[in-house]
Amino acid sequence: MVADSNPKYQVKFLRDELTDMIFYTYLFRKTEDPELKENFRKLATTESEHANFWGQALKSSNVDVNKITYRKFKYFFMKLLRNILGKSLIINLLEHGEYQSIKKYKAYLDSYKQDDDYKKKVNDLIISEMEHEEIFANKISMSAKNIQKSRDFLYGMSDGLVEVLATLVGLSAIITSHIDIALSGVVVGISGTFSMTLGAYLAQKSESEYKIAMLNRKNIFSKSKGVENMIQQYSSEATNSALNTAISYVLGAVIPILPFIFFYKYTAVILSVTLVFIAQGISNSIVALSLNTPIFKSGLRSALLALGAAAVTFTVGEIFHLIFHISLF
């Protein structure tokens, strides 16, 4: 990115700030949490100041800022995501967005070689954006429990998608009837649900027992009501984890099975692979969002891995069909 007399970067920054200002105002109206509501109000005010800064810079270049508006599609998309993802994950998304803004402003500042006073103002703006990120980072730590629930749910769904798809595609090489393939997928889905649920329960049970043991050790002489409540909360974690895993795995398994119920074999394979590719990409993008890792890269990688697993099992099925002449009608 090269900063020069061309105001195109300033126009882009102005549109970004206007969009953020409007979205923070929307979140302010929709939020009930008093602390978070006040944070959104302050953020909307700050973004308005940032927009004014870029607007003044553009006016000095004789650009008509009245014709520059916020990004309507981005605003609509963010509102949609807020309703789908809920409060916890949308905060992660906002934190991710603030970090990206910091990177863009820093690159712009580093490439700018004129007007030290202007550079200082841009640097102050970057510091302000860093304060925004810190606000979200603090709120993320407070909502870690909800984020973990969402993450576990999406991991379970991902397992259901990939495992059942790989099975169905592999069986399609040796089974002719699409209904029989679908029924095989149901069997795999049921067994996978029990396996995943049991694994999630045992893993979380061990972790919860460890946390309870450490809590009892620290409070061996006296246990307050707060400690008792924490013990009760830890005791229910394994059951909740198992339930979330079961539900998410079933949802993931249903997606690749459905096409085989309604369509013939190869049409069903194409539809099933396509649906899983999309679902896997979306679910893992949300996981990446909750972990603050690259969203697009993570979603694409997981979707391609799902396709890879399907390709491998289909190849194995074809080998069995060609070499051993295994074919079920």
Side-chain angles (χ1 to χ4, degrees):
M1 183 182 294
V2 179
D4 51 29
S5 57
N6 191 326
K8 64 179 181 179
Y9 297 116
Q10 295 172 338
V11 171
K12 181 179 183 301
F13 296 152
L14 174 57
R15 295 189 68 195
D16 287 341
E17 297 292 355
L18 288 172
T19 305
D20 289 345
M21 177 193 71
I22 293 173
F23 186 60
Y24 287 140
T25 302
Y26 165 78
L27 291 176
F28 168 76
R29 294 197 305 267
K30 295 293 183 178
T31 301
E32 296 180 0
D33 180 344
E35 181 184 356
L36 190 57
K37 189 179 184 72
E38 178 61 17
N39 282 334
F40 284 139
R41 186 194 67 79
K42 291 179 179 178
L43 290 170
T45 301
T46 303
E47 298 294 4
S48 176
E49 294 170 356
H50 293 176
N52 183 63
F53 169 78
W54 294 117
Q56 292 300 322
L58 286 166
K59 285 180 180 178
S60 65
S61 300
N62 297 318
V63 175
D64 186 1
V65 297
N66 293 322
K67 296 182 178 180
I68 302 173
T69 60
Y70 68 97
R71 301 181 187 279
K72 295 181 180 179
F73 177 78
K74 180 181 178 181
Y75 174 61
F76 170 80
F77 185 65
M78 292 289 287
K79 286 175 63 176
L80 181 64
L81 283 180
R82 185 260 179 189
N83 292 322
I84 294 174
L85 302 179
K87 182 178 70 175
S88 297
L89 287 177
I90 200 64
I91 289 175
N92 279 63
L93 184 61
L94 292 172
E95 195 270 345
H96 182 82
E98 293 296 340
Y99 176 68
Q100 295 302 317
S101 295
I102 292 169
K103 288 174 62 179
K104 287 187 293 185
Y105 289 156
K106 183 66 167 58
Y108 176 82
L109 185 63
D110 289 344
S111 65
Y112 196 85
K113 306 299 181 184
Q114 308 170 24
D115 193 348
D116 289 339
D117 182 59
Y118 176 77
K119 289 184 68 174
K120 181 181 182 304
K121 290 178 180 178
V122 175
N123 188 69
D124 291 341
L125 189 147
I126 292 174
I127 293 173
S128 178
E129 293 289 345
M130 292 175 68
E131 291 173 352
H132 290 190
E133 187 187 20
E134 184 176 350
I135 288 174
F136 292 129
N138 291 336
K139 208 63 184 175
I140 286 170
S141 64
M142 293 174 65
S143 59
K145 180 181 176 182
N146 291 332
I147 292 173
Q148 185 62 44
K149 285 183 178 179
S150 299
R151 195 179 303 158
D152 289 343
F153 187 89
L154 291 165
Y155 276 136
M157 182 176 180
S158 178
D159 287 334
L161 287 167
V162 175
E163 184 173 342
V164 175
L165 173 68
T167 301
L168 292 173
V169 173
L171 291 174
S172 67
I174 59 176
I175 299 178
T176 302
S177 170
H178 64 99
I179 296 297
D180 289 343
I181 297 173
L183 291 175
S184 300
V186 172
V187 172
V188 172
I190 292 173
S191 63
T193 300
F194 280 106
S195 176
M196 286 290 296
T197 302
L198 180 60
Y201 179 84
L202 293 176
Q204 187 60 58
K205 190 68 174 178
S206 298
E207 182 180 339
S208 299
E209 287 176 348
Y210 171 76
K211 289 190 288 188
I212 291 172
M214 295 301 295
L215 198 61
N216 284 328
R217 182 178 297 181
K218 291 180 180 179
N219 299 273
I220 191 171
F221 294 109
S222 63
K223 291 182 182 178
S224 64
K225 186 175 180 59
V227 172
E228 293 292 345
N229 289 337
M230 289 182 68
I231 291 175
Q232 187 175 7
Q233 177 184 322
Y234 291 153
S235 298
S236 64
E237 285 180 339
T239 302
N240 292 335
S241 178
L243 182 60
N244 286 334
T245 300
I247 294 173
S248 61
Y249 188 94
V250 169
L251 289 176
V254 165
I255 291 174
I257 291 174
L258 281 176
F260 286 92
I261 296 176
F262 299 104
F263 299 96
Y264 289 109
K265 186 169 68 171
Y266 290 114
T267 301
V269 168
I270 295 172
L271 287 174
S272 184
V273 169
T274 302
L275 289 174
V276 169
F277 181 84
I278 295 171
Q280 181 77 338
I282 292 173
S283 64
N284 279 270
S285 294
I286 297 174
V287 171
L289 173 60
S290 71
L291 294 170
N292 283 317
T293 54
I295 298 171
F296 177 78
K297 180 180 178 181
S298 178
L300 181 61
R301 179 179 58 212
S302 61
L304 291 175
L305 286 173
L307 293 187
V312 169
T313 54
F314 182 80
T315 302
V316 172
E318 282 292 331
I319 291 172
F320 272 75
H321 174 66
L322 294 173
I323 296 179
F324 302 105
H325 304 290
I326 298 176
S327 184
L328 303 177
F329 296 93

